[in-house]
Amino acid sequence: TVQKQKHGFQAEVKQLLQLMIHSLYSNKEIFLRELVSNASDAADKLRFLALSDSSLYDNDGELKVRISLDEAAKTITISDNGIGMTQDEVISHLGTIAKSGTKEFFGQLSGDQSKDSQLIGQFGVGFYSAFIVADKVTVKTRKAGAPADSAVEWESTGEGDYTITPIVKASRGTDIILHLRDEETEFLSQWKVESIVTKYSDHISIPVEMYQEGTPERDGEEGEKIPATEGYWKAVNKATALWMRDKSEVSDTEYQEFYKHISHDWTEPLSWSHNKVEGNTNYTSLLYVPKKAPFDLWNREARHGLKLYVQRVFIMDDAEQFMPSYLRFIKGVLDSSDLPLNVSREILQDTKVTQSLRKGCTSRVLKMLEKMAKAEDQTEYQTFWTEFGQVMKEGPAEDFANKDTIAKLLRFASTHNETADQNVSLDAYVSRMKEGQDEIYFIVADSYEAAKHSPHLEVLRKKGIEVLLLSDRVDEWLMQHLTDFEGKKLRSIAKGNLDISKLDDEETKKAQEETEKQFAAVTERFKAALGDQVKAVKTSHRLTDSPACIVTDEFDMSTQMMKLMESVGQ
Ligand code: ADP
Ligand code: MG
């Protein structure tokens, strides 16, 4: 007797399904992209396992996806002969959300449909999008290498629960059967489905086939066409790995769709860079800058890194060895011919090849950012900086070799434009430096407002000297590593003896010397009275309006750093 078991969805899945059905309605055709994408992932996984156990192919090595339409039954079926799933896998993959960060995700939902649908994208929960168009979904799956009678059927109406039933399935892989809602029967049109596949899944590297009436048209003798008789399966996509194609043959839309496929992000990327490198190392890279930071950008455990292929064979997701940490938001594919097919994370860790690939990929990304930073229209770069600027600021400390390149990419708020926007580059600052000024001035404070109203600024403001206003948490750390830029020292105006006297005229200098003489006796008395409690008592010309300000010694910790240390319990 066949036993059907009922299982409840994890609470988060129920919530997610509600959201899917109600928020993504305007872009419902993406369900097909997600299911085809899963089928293609399943083919990748099988191909990888078959590298060490070719018996898994079981005489069926031509991996593909097939989409069939049944008008009478109102179903659309997506079948693959990929890796398949065991019963346990079905329960954990199609009943729960396994990824880390589930809590953060739900915490961030705002109720604003368009914002929330972007969050779903970042989360990668494509399978559940089937319920946008279907009121019942049936999954039949058999794991590669497992016997026919160990297959499983999963079925759900997308409400509270799903059923699991043991079945017999003749072939390896997964069939996803969508029972379309009455109002979604447009997806039974061959033409419609074919055009969606071409739109979203052209880049998928295995054939996506649809059943076609007739026979493939071919030329008979003397050129006459042989008439169509029966049906056949026809590939409706290009079916070559997109990154192996020539740049000039790939359209922007194709690049964008490919990004969505590998990143699980449903928003378009900001920019990409596609390169074939031949020489000492041989590889192809296709690297993307996303438009939005993922919600887990600051989570140390979050998955990041590139999708790694070796000679077009998928090896692993999230290979983090090829990007420095300050570029952890970059998504993309790296296909190398210099790594062995059986490469593991451990082997990758410290090989020469890894290092040289990492160097190459890092410089590709920096070049792409440089190009964006130099563009006439700065909107794109500002979008990038707002999302990822704080991460980029980790760069000078982490990547000594590229310090100068990274420095040029940094953007700051400054006294030049009186807004909190970080849009002043060091180059722009230098171009505005005063006659005789040979240092770049900055101040770090807890907030933009605090920096902007710092008493330390007064004298510089009076002289019309620009000061960079820093207030991100990472800024103190950044400035410890960014000590100079194109031969000019970066100097905190809150530290040490700020010597801007070079910029004064003779008259001011004389007047200041006079003042110092006048106050000599007073400073002596202060020093005598305060003794060891103070390091020094000096006459200063920093302030013009404020009565007092705190100055730290040049090589002492700044007040911000002290606060930072206190906050981590030092
Ligand atoms: P993601 O693809 O981001 O992992 P999905 O919700 O699209 O998220 O899919 C969830 C999981 O279900 C996949 O990671 C995979 O393990 C499993 N899965 C989905 N479709 C298939 C399939 N056609 N063949 C094998 N496993 C699948
Ligand atoms: Mg998926």
Side-chain angles (χ1 to χ4, degrees), residues 274-314:
H274 182 189
N275 299 284
K276 219 169 254 176
V277 178
E278 277 159 17
N280 285 339
T281 37
N282 299 286
Y283 66 92
T284 300
S285 62
L286 173 51
L287 306 169
Y288 291 91
V289 181
K291 195 175 275 172
K292 299 230 25 112
F295 64 90
D296 55 6
L297 183 63
W298 298 100
N299 176 355
R300 288 266 149 218
E301 267 99 74
R303 301 195 301 174
H304 55 91
L306 306 179
K307 224 175 159 71
L308 177 66
Y309 289 76
V310 171
Q311 293 166 43
R312 255 149 296 164
V313 178
F314 168 75

Side-chain angles (χ1 to χ4, degrees), residues 34 38-39 41-42 45 80 83-85 93-94 99 124-128 174 176 264:
E34 293 304 317
N38 284 349
D41 290 347
K45 287 177 197 161
D80 66 67
I83 186 79
M85 285 178 271
H93 298 324
L94 310 183
K99 310 240 165 66
V125 281
F127 169 75
Y128 300 107
T174 306
I176 314 257
H264 299 301

Side-chain angles (χ1 to χ4, degrees), residues 64-248:
K64 56 184 170 294
V65 191
R66 283 183 166 171
I67 303 177
S68 24
L69 309 174
D70 184 334
E71 257 182 274
K74 293 200 191 129
T75 59
I76 168 166
T77 301
I78 295 100
S79 304
D80 66 67
N81 57 352
I83 186 79
M85 285 178 271
T86 63
Q87 171 163 323
D88 287 349
E89 286 167 340
V90 170
I91 292 173
S92 73
H93 298 324
L94 310 183
T96 59
I97 311 176
K99 310 240 165 66
S100 60
T102 320
K103 276 226 182 64
E104 288 98 312
F105 169 67
F106 282 100
Q108 288 204 5
L109 291 177
S110 62
D112 174 326
Q113 298 206 347
S114 67
K115 274 195 202 137
D116 288 352
S117 69
Q118 289 192 356
L119 281 178
I120 293 178
Q122 293 181 16
F123 206 60
V125 281
F127 169 75
Y128 300 107
S129 67
F131 289 98
I132 305 175
V133 295
D135 51 19
K136 187 165 88 178
V137 176
T138 311
V139 178
K140 297 180 177 183
T141 186
R142 174 178 154 195
K143 182 86 173 184
D149 61 2
S150 73
V152 196
E153 181 181 285
W154 176 103
E155 192 165 74
S156 175
T157 54
E159 283 149 8
D161 45 39
Y162 61 91
T163 57
I164 292 277
T165 317
I167 54 161
V168 177
K169 186 175 182 293
S171 57
R172 167 196 79 224
T174 306
D175 300 340
I176 314 257
I177 305 151
L178 310 184
H179 306 265
L180 296 173
R181 294 173 196 280
D182 286 339
E183 62 279 17
E184 306 301 350
T185 45
E186 60 172 320
F187 296 109
L188 293 173
S189 143
Q190 175 98 7
W191 173 85
K192 171 88 185 174
V193 171
E194 200 172 315
S195 73
I196 300 173
V197 172
T198 325
K199 180 167 166 196
Y200 295 116
S201 310
D202 221 18
H203 59 78
I204 294 285
S205 59
I206 55 172
V208 179
E209 299 180 342
M210 291 188 75
Y211 198 73
Q212 200 81 22
E213 297 293 317
T215 50
E217 207 165 70
R218 57 201 156 97
D219 294 334
E221 279 156 47
E222 285 151 31
E224 99 268 30
K225 301 274 183 224
I226 291 175
T229 47
E230 45 197 72
Y232 69 103
W233 288 95
K234 179 185 95 168
V236 292
N237 64 332
K238 288 211 178 64
T240 47
L242 177 126
W243 63 93
M244 297 312 290
R245 285 164 55 193
D246 205 81
K247 257 196 243 193
S248 61

